């Protein structure tokens, strides 16, 4: 799950994906831009999304998102909230689970 | 026993344009390769491969180039070499290709390979010779090849000047 705090403009889903791919292209070149990344969900209100990537590409994706600083000439930052190999684990906080 | 290990990549510059020979310089080739790495592998790849990157040896007559890089990043370099499409020097661009001939750990192994490769190339050129005069030229340089190792290098240069 990723959260993206911003000053003004709110990107749409396609623009968000374009942002991710361009970050990969800057840091890792054409090879990075060719990494298959999927946006599974995207909420425009909270600007948070769930991304899926092959496990060997996690390091490249995370480093590219960390080093992305600007969106449409405004400063922005990606915050990674949670990573997990299972989608179900992203739905809730397992520490607060009440059995 | 901690030392920096390098890999030496031996390549050949292939170009249809005969004027390209004059613009093969170490700076031009180095810039072209760095540019290709930057395009293919991004900032990270460029920085990774540029740590110990130099053009160690260049022969403009035969178009042989010897590049050096770190052992950890030689795969990035080798995968970016097919993306070198043009050489630029003195504001002139020539399309060209880079064929990888050999990857070695030391300059000595690359030199041994280059000597054997040049010998085989001379024999191939002898077979595909169009006229008698060039045939005699190549036979002369082949005979001078068999004397000492240093003479074989100068024999290659003569031969390429003759057939081009």
């Amino acid at each position: 799950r990723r959260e993206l705090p911003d000053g003004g403009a709110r990107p749409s889903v396609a623009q968000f994906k374009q942002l991710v791919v361009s970050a990969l292209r800057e840091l890792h070149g054409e090879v990075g831009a060719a990494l298959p990344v999927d946006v599974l969900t995207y909420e425009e209100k909270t600007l948070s999304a769930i991304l899926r990537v092959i496990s060997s590409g996690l390091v490249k994706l995370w480093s590219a998102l960390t080093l992305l600083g600007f969106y449409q000439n405004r400063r922005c930052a990606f915050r990674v909230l949670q990573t997990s190999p299972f989608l179900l684990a992203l739905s809730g906080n397992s520490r607060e689970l009440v059995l | 026993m901690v030392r920096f290990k390098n890999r030496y990549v031996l390549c050949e510059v292939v170009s249809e344009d005969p004027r390209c020979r004059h613009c093969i310089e170490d700076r031009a080739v180095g810039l072209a390769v760095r540019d290709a790495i930057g395009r293919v592998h991004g900032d990270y790849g460029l920085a990774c491969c540029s740590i110990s990157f130099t053009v160690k040896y260049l022969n403009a007559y035969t178009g042989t180039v010897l590049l050096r890089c770190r052992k950890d990043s030689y795969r990035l370099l080798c995968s970016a070499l097919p993306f070198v499409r043009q050489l630029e020097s003195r504001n002139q661009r020539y399309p060209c290709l880079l064929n990888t001939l050999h990857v070695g750990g030391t300059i000595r192994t690359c030199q041994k390979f280059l000597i054997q490769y040049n010998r085989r190339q001379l024999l191939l050129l002898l077979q595909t010779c169009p006229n008698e005069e060039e045939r005699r030229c190549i036979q002369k340089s082949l005979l001078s090849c068999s004397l000492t190792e240093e003479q074989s290098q100068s024999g290659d240069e003569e031969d390429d000047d003759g057939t081009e």
Side-chain angles (χ1 to χ4, degrees):
Chain A
R1 191 173 289 177
R2 307 271 192 268
E3 191 187 280
L4 163 59
D6 206 3
R10 312 225 122 196
S12 67
V13 179
Q15 286 169 340
F16 183 78
K17 171 110 192 249
Q18 159 76 12
L19 191 61
V20 168
V21 171
S22 68
L24 274 169
R25 178 174 276 120
E26 262 187 56
L27 190 62
H28 290 288
E30 297 297 328
V31 166
L35 196 58
V37 171
D38 306 318
V39 179
L40 295 179
T41 63
Y42 179 69
E43 285 169 42
E44 213 168 307
K45 256 191 308 186
T46 54
L47 283 180
S48 64
I50 299 186
L51 297 177
R52 175 175 66 186
V53 72
I54 193 169
S55 56
S56 56
L58 176 66
V59 174
K60 290 190 179 165
L61 177 65
W62 202 332
S63 57
L65 287 176
T66 308
L67 290 174
L68 181 66
F70 288 96
Y71 170 62
Q72 287 182 356
N73 296 327
R74 302 187 68 102
R75 297 197 73 92
C76 72
F78 271 84
R79 271 192 220 121
V80 174
L81 302 173
Q82 199 177 355
T83 68
S84 136
F86 309 111
L87 197 50
L88 194 55
L90 296 180
S91 64
N93 190 354
S94 63
R95 292 198 180 147
E96 291 166 7
L97 204 55
V98 174
L99 288 169
Chain B
M1 237 189 322
V2 177
R3 72 162 197 226
F4 289 124
K5 299 196 178 182
N6 296 319
R7 284 282 177 263
Y8 292 88
V9 181
L10 191 66
C11 336
E12 184 193 1
V13 177
V14 174
S15 163
E16 293 103 21
D17 200 350
R19 289 170 299 165
C20 190
R21 293 278 151 116
H22 302 293
C23 99
I24 297 183
E25 299 168 335
D26 48 0
R27 247 177 306 138
V29 172
L31 279 176
V33 172
R34 255 182 236 243
D35 180 54
I37 298 177
R39 261 182 291 133
V40 175
H41 293 293
D43 294 335
Y44 171 74
L46 182 59
C48 223
C49 296
S50 292
I51 292 179
S52 176
F53 175 76
T54 35
V55 177
K56 269 302 198 182
Y57 167 77
L58 184 68
N59 188 339
Y61 296 111
T62 54
T64 311
V65 181
L66 185 67
L67 307 166
R68 177 187 75 179
C69 68
R70 283 255 183 266
K71 184 171 144 185
D72 304 321
S73 56
Y74 84 95
R75 296 188 75 95
L76 293 174
L77 175 65
C78 286
S79 62
L81 285 179
F83 291 87
V84 174
R85 277 192 293 269
Q86 58 185 19
L87 281 185
E88 199 173 312
S89 93
R90 289 179 231 128
N91 293 332
Q92 279 174 341
R93 296 199 177 118
Y94 300 106
C96 69
L97 311 167
L98 276 189
N99 276 346
T100 308
L101 301 175
H102 186 246
V103 176
T106 56
I107 299 189
R108 196 185 297 247
T109 55
C110 287
Q111 188 187 22
K112 277 194 219 165
F113 175 84
L114 189 60
I115 292 173
Q116 284 176 3
Y117 179 76
N118 284 338
R119 282 213 186 107
R120 264 181 276 143
Q121 289 297 99
L122 275 181
L123 289 173
L124 278 175
L125 284 170
L126 183 64
Q127 283 166 6
T128 62
C129 237
N131 60 1
E132 201 46 49
E133 195 182 301
E134 290 181 11
R135 195 175 283 267
R136 265 183 277 129
C137 229
I138 296 182
Q139 273 176 343
K140 195 172 56 142
S141 39
L142 269 177
L143 289 174
S144 67
C145 261
S146 49
L147 287 177
T148 52
E149 298 245 312
E150 284 87 53
Q151 279 191 7
S152 73
Q153 295 286 345
S154 60
D156 304 335
E157 291 181 21
E158 271 177 40
D159 157 64
D160 266 83
D161 278 341
T163 49
E164 288 315 308

